[in-house]
């Protein structure tokens, strides 16, 4: 089984938009990979005119929210940086235990990379002192700029969602068979760690667990 | 062999069932996201942990059909209706047109009833086509505008020559499992896609908001549809779902959609909010006749005016005028038009009702300019016969006569000619003959002491018929005291009528000319200008501008300037002076005939009055003396006949007036 990798289009979002954007993307991907009996749940974004679908699993929703919170914390510590969130689907296979490996291994058969460029708008500084120093521009130009930017983000997000749909439609063979009693495939959300170098280490760790992607069947 | 054949048949049957259910599921996903009130959007179900194949399903709410493709959706009646279509053995393509219908504003909440109101109609073109309407439009389907905003294609491409029975059982089973998995993925994608397309926003707004929209989504399922126009295909975008291979072909799913349809549905059809209408015209029933100052004064009577509604804020100078104009036949429409105000129309002159019942229906297109429903402010006065064409405008003859009767005094009679000269009475040719006789007749019971011979014009009597109780009605006295050129009437109901007239341009018939005041002999001659009895302008009020007349006029002015007369004193004074003078002026037929000029109403000549400046008391006394002489002369005449036919009737009145003469 090959590990299909999908690099999603980079989105330029603001800090307050991270939660909704990530929720939308992550739940959309998971819904496509929740092949068990689900009762879909439609969720309307508050910031954009987009409705995404959740598979209705409370636990899943909680886990995703936790990961998003971690990511937001990381973003706050590393402002104005391009970041990447990886959503991986794997299979758990047992293997013979050895000195260096665990009994079980994860076979990643699909990875989704969500690329975000979190920008911090001057007006959205959380610091109170900034409000006093900033020159308030309540004119219509600021509103129009904000709305146009919001429209751009919405369009980009819609593109990303269609990209997901196309990827799911084009590549179906690598998806493992449906297991009984399982709603969605095991997944893993990887966010950048606190140190930059740790991100690379996470990739190495993943490779150790899963082995070389090309070796996966 | 037999088992293989049986297995193959079983596999084929399963394959066919899977394909059929795929058709139904895809149809369900599309319809439940495009049909109002039939959506899984509001279907908050519990988490189903078990898989379709699990026999230990903990959830009892999962219907058997929900387990197909592991996607539990709300039942969609429209999809159920099309199940037969989906179960066709030949797997005919299913086309779902999502139509955006725009309807008139007279849609009511009933059209959006959540109850089952889906009707299946067989198309005349294609018996296999099913048209879905969320409402039975009985009002007028011809008025709705339809536009296909989405077209979904679900079909199975059969692959001929493919051996159904090829492969062993395991491969077939694997194929079926793989197929099922792929179909699950496809349907997941379909479920997400239908919510990303622009039409879903319309569907969401229709379902979520409680507003009454002028449009709605109507999914139409059919097997065969007319191809879209080339322009539509160019404007629309197509999204292909990757086909899934089956054992006998492949399942294809695609959609044509407009990338932007916000301009079609962005307009809110919320009922118009209340607006403040500053220039509300109002119902014609409330105030049918209010004359516009700006309205052209026609020579005709008010009845000649069309069915038009005047402005409610205009002053009605002729309040005594009767409602000669009938009401507009559709006051409600006028009100509705008045309510339909357009900011651009506020600068226009106030609206008036159309002269005819409105033809334009109240229901209009949502993008119709409100100006179309603002009737033209033009006002056309269509001539129509009036009840009294000869009566001055707004003043019918009867009213005029009544007004003058009330006054029963010289000022009233004097003012009567002014009615003809008023601007409203521009149509002199339409003026009826002076109705002095009428006035006289009506005032017979209160005639003064003027003894008018049978031949005399009764108008004269009325002019100077100052009864005891009538002297108080000479409000014109005060008016003259002010040197006002206005000859006012008595303070009766006719005053409002006559006050509107502009007396300034009419010379006082009793104007005293210099040098003519002390010629009592000539006064009776120029006492009064009598016009045609039927001419209200005349009314016996016009005076020849001769010395005697001038004297009389001066006398009258003097009397008006005089302080209010008390009953005992004033009566004496009036009795002594005015009636005496009048009586003196009456008897002599010759004097009267000389003084009175009968003018026929064919072409009334309205003499102009000119007020003379106030004179001193001495002059006034001198004039009074002369007036006495004149009166005596008139009284001595008596018995002379008048040329006018009205004289005869005036004589009748004079006979009674003699009885009540002040003398």
């Amino acid at each position: 089984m090959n590990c299909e990798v999908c690099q999603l289009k980079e989105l330029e979002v603001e800090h307050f938009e991270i939660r909704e954007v990530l929720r939308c993307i992550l739940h959309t991907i998971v819904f496509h990979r929740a092949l068990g009996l689900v009762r879909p749940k439609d969720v309307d974004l508050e910031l954009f005119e987009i409705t995404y679908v959740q598979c209705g699993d409370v636990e899943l929703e909680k886990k995703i929210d936790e990961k998003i919170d971690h990511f937001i914390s990381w973003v706050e510590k590393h402002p104005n940086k391009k970041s990447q969130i990886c959503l991986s689907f794997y299979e758990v296979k047992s293997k013979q235990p050895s000195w260096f490996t665990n009994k079980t291994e994860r076979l990643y058969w699909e990875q989704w990379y969500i690329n975000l460029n979190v920008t911090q708008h001057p007006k959205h500084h959380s610091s109170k002192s900034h409000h006093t120093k900033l020159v308030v521009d309540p004119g219509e130009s600021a509103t129009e700029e904000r709305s146009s930017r919001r429209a751009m983000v919405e369009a980009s997000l819609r593109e990303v969602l269609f990209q997901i749909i196309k990827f799911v439609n084009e590549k179906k063979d690598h998806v493992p068979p449906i297991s009984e009693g399982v709603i969605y495939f095991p997944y893993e959300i990887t966010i950048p760690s606190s140190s930059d170098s740790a991100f690379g280490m996470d990739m190495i760790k993943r490779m150790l667990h899963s082995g070389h992607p090309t070796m996966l069947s | 062999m037999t088992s293989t054949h049986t297995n193959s048949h079983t596999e084929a049957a399963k394959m066919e069932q899977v394909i059929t259910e795929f058709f139904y599921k895809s149809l369900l996903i599309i319809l439940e996201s495009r049909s109002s009130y039939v959506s899984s959007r509001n279907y908050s179900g519990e988490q189903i942990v078990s898989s379709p194949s699990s026999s230990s399903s903990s959830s009892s709410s999962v219907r058997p059909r929900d387990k197909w493709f592991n996607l539990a959706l709300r039942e969609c009646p429209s999809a159920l209706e099309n199940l037969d279509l989906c179960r066709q053995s030949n797997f005919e393509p299913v086309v779902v047109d999502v139509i955006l219908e725009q309807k008139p504003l007279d849609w009511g909440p009933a059209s959006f009833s959540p109850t089952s109101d889906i009707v299946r109609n067989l198309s005349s073109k294609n018996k296999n086509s099913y048209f879905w309407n969320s409402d039975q439009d009985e009002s007028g389907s011809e008025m709705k505008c339809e536009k296909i905003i989405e077209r979904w294609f679900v079909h199975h491409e059969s692959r001929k020559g493919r051996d159904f029975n090829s492969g062993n059982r395991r491969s077939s089973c694997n194929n079926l499992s793989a197929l099922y998995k792929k179909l699950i993925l496809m349907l997941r994608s379909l479920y997400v896609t239908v919510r990303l397309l622009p039409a879903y926003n319309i569907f969401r707004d229709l379902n979520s908001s409680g507003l009454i929209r002028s449009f709605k989504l109507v999914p139409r399922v059919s097997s065969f549809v007319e191809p879209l126009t080339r322009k539509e295909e160019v404007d629309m975008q197509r999204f292909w779902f990757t086909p899934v291979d089956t054992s006998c072909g492949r399942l294809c799913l695609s959609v044509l959609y407009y990338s932007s349809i916000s301009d079609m549905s962005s307009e809110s059809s919320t009922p118009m909010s209340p607006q403040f209408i500053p220039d509300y015209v109002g119902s014609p029933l409330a105030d049918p006749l209010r004359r516009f100052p700006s309205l052209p004064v026609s020579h005709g009577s008010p009845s000649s005016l069309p069915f038009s509604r005047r402005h409610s804020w205009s002053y009605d100078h002729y309040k005594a005028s009767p409602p000669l104009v009938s009401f507009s036949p559709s006051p409600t429409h006028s009100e509705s038009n008045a309510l339909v105000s357009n900011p651009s129309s506020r600068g226009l002159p106030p609206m008036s009702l159309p002269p005819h019942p409105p033809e334009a229906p109240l229901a209009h297109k949502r993008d119709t300019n409100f100006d179309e429903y603002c009737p033209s402010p033009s006002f056309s006065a269509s001539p129509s016969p009036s009840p009294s064409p000869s009566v001055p405008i707004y003043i019918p003859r009867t009213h005029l006569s009544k007004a003058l009767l009330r006054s029963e005094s010289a000022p009233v009679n004097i003012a009567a000619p002014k009615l003809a000269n008023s601007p409203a009475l521009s149509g002199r040719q339409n003026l009826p003959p002076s109705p002095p006789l009428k006035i006289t007749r009506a005032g017979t019971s209160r005639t003064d002491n003027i003894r008018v011979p049978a031949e005399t014009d009764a108008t004269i009597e009325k002019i100077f018929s100052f009864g005891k109780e009538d002297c108080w009605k000479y409000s014109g006295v005060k008016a003259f005291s002010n040197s006002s050129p206005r000859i006012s009437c008595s303070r009766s109901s006719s005053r409002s009528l006559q006050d509107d007239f502009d007396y300034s341009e009419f010379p006082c018939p009793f104007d005293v000319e210099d040098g003519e005041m002390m010629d009592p002999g000539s006064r009776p001659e120029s006492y009064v200008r009598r016009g045609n009895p039927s001419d209200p302008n005349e009314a016996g009020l016009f005076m020849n501008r001769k010395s005697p007349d001038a004297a009389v006029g001066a006398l009258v002015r003097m009397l008006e300037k005089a302080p209010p007369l008390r009953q005992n004193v004033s009566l004496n004074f009036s009795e002594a002076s005015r009636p005496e003078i009048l009586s003196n002026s009456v008897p002599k037929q010759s004097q009267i005939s000389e003084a009175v000029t009968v003018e026929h109403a064919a072409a009334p000549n309205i003499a102009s009055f000119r007020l003379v400046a106030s004179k001193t008391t001495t002059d006034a006394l001198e004039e009074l003396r002369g007036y006495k002489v004149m009166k005596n002369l008139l009284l001595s005449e008596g018995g002379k006949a008048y040329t006018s036919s009205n004289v005869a009737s005036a004589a009748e009145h004079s006979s009674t007036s003699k009885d009540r003469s002040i003398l």
Side-chain angles (χ1 to χ4, degrees), chain B residues 111-126:
Chain B
S111 62
F112 295 94
S113 172
T115 59
S116 174
D117 51 7
I118 297 177
V119 179
R120 181 199 303 179
N121 296 321
L122 292 176
S123 172
S124 58
K125 294 181 178 180
N126 186 2

Side-chain angles (χ1 to χ4, degrees), chain A residues 9-198:
Chain A
K9 179 185 173 183
E10 183 179 277
L11 292 174
E12 189 172 314
V13 297
E14 292 188 26
H15 188 272
F16 68 96
E17 297 172 338
I18 294 175
R19 186 176 300 277
E20 281 216 327
V21 168
L22 286 181
R23 276 181 178 171
C24 177
I25 296 174
L26 292 173
H27 279 284
T28 300
I29 296 172
V30 173
F31 176 74
H32 282 96
R33 293 296 178 250
L35 302 187
L37 182 60
V38 297
R39 191 157 298 182
K41 176 184 171 183
D42 300 338
V43 179
D44 299 330
L45 293 178
E46 296 180 359
L47 301 176
F48 309 104
E49 290 291 325
I50 293 175
T51 301
Y52 70 96
V53 184
Q54 295 183 0
C55 56
D57 185 63
V58 180
E59 286 298 322
L60 175 65
E61 188 175 354
K62 189 184 294 184
K63 290 181 181 179
I64 289 177
D65 287 342
E66 289 178 359
K67 285 295 181 179
I68 293 174
D69 293 336
H70 296 160
F71 177 76
I72 292 174
S73 301
W74 182 88
V75 169
E76 291 177 351
K77 296 176 181 179
H78 303 83
N80 296 325
K81 271 192 173 181
K82 292 185 179 182
S83 56
Q84 192 177 62
I85 298 173
C86 182
L87 175 58
S88 305
F89 295 94
Y90 60 90
E91 285 183 298
V92 178
K93 285 189 174 180
S94 59
K95 59 188 291 183
Q96 293 182 353
S98 64
W99 288 94
F100 306 100
T101 59
N102 296 330
K103 293 181 178 180
T104 59
E105 64 176 343
R106 293 180 177 181
L107 297 176
Y108 294 91
W109 51 270
E110 191 175 79
Q111 291 179 330
W112 300 82
Y113 290 95
I114 304 169
N115 300 298
L116 295 179
N117 184 15
V118 182
T119 60
Q120 290 181 341
H121 202 271
K123 292 185 178 182
H124 297 283
H125 282 176
S126 59
S127 173
K128 293 183 179 180
S129 61
H130 287 206
H131 291 296
T132 58
K133 295 180 180 179
L134 286 175
V135 178
V136 179
D137 185 14
E140 294 182 358
S141 60
T143 307
E144 291 178 357
E145 182 182 355
R146 193 181 305 115
S147 62
S148 65
R149 188 203 151 276
R150 183 72 57 83
M152 289 176 57
V153 174
E154 180 178 328
S156 299
L157 180 58
R158 205 179 290 272
E159 288 182 21
V160 169
L161 297 177
F162 271 104
Q163 188 180 359
I164 296 171
I165 294 170
K166 289 178 181 179
F167 183 87
V168 169
N169 274 270
E170 292 173 357
K171 300 180 186 301
K172 300 188 181 74
D173 296 331
H174 68 287
V175 180
I178 304 169
S179 303
E180 292 187 10
V182 178
I183 299 175
Y184 46 87
F185 294 105
Y187 68 95
E188 182 181 70
I189 299 176
T190 307
I191 61 174
S193 55
S194 53
S195 61
D196 293 342
S197 59

Side-chain angles (χ1 to χ4, degrees), chain A residues 28 31-45 48-53 55-58 154 158 161-162 164-166 168-185, chain B residues 39-41 43-54 59 61-63 66-67 69-73 180-182 184-186 188-189 191-193 195-198 200-201 204-205 239 241-244 257:
Chain A
T28 300
F31 176 74
H32 282 96
R33 293 296 178 250
L35 302 187
L37 182 60
V38 297
R39 191 157 298 182
K41 176 184 171 183
D42 300 338
V43 179
D44 299 330
L45 293 178
F48 309 104
E49 290 291 325
I50 293 175
T51 301
Y52 70 96
V53 184
C55 56
D57 185 63
V58 180
E154 180 178 328
R158 205 179 290 272
L161 297 177
F162 271 104
I164 296 171
I165 294 170
K166 289 178 181 179
V168 169
N169 274 270
E170 292 173 357
K171 300 180 186 301
K172 300 188 181 74
D173 296 331
H174 68 287
V175 180
I178 304 169
S179 303
E180 292 187 10
V182 178
I183 299 175
Y184 46 87
F185 294 105
Chain B
S39 169
S40 62
R41 179 181 175 82
Y43 183 48
S44 58
E46 298 176 355
Q47 171 62 27
I48 306 300
V49 183
S50 61
S51 63
S53 58
S54 173
S59 173
S61 63
V62 179
R63 295 179 296 270
D66 292 341
K67 295 181 179 181
F69 307 102
N70 295 333
L71 195 61
L73 300 176
Y180 192 75
K181 179 191 71 177
K182 292 178 181 179
I184 291 176
L185 293 172
M186 179 184 279
R188 294 284 197 274
S189 302
Y191 193 91
V192 175
T193 304
R195 280 151 181 79
L196 292 179
L197 296 180
Y200 184 77
N201 294 332
R204 184 180 58 185
D205 292 341
F239 182 82
F241 292 85
T242 302
V244 175
Y257 67 97

Side-chain angles (χ1 to χ4, degrees), chain B residues 404-405 408-417 433-444 447-448 450 452-466 474 510 527-543 582 585-586 592 596-599 642 644-654 657:
Chain B
L404 295 175
L405 284 172
E408 301 177 3
S409 60
V412 174
N413 296 328
I414 294 172
S434 170
L437 295 179
K438 294 182 180 179
I439 301 172
T440 306
R441 279 195 294 269
T444 303
T447 309
D448 53 2
I450 299 175
V452 180
E455 298 80 6
T456 59
D457 193 349
T459 307
I460 302 173
E461 299 175 1
K462 296 311 299 179
I463 295 172
F464 305 101
S465 58
F466 301 102
Y474 279 98
F510 301 101
Y527 181 75
V528 66
R529 173 186 293 272
R530 292 192 65 255
N532 192 309
S534 62
D535 191 349
N537 302 325
E538 311 298 335
L541 301 179
F542 295 99
M543 304 291 293
L582 295 175
S585 63
V586 168
I592 295 172
V596 176
T597 302
V598 178
E599 296 184 2
Y642 294 92
S644 167
S645 61
N646 293 330
V647 174
S649 61
E652 295 177 359
H653 294 287
S654 64
S657 62

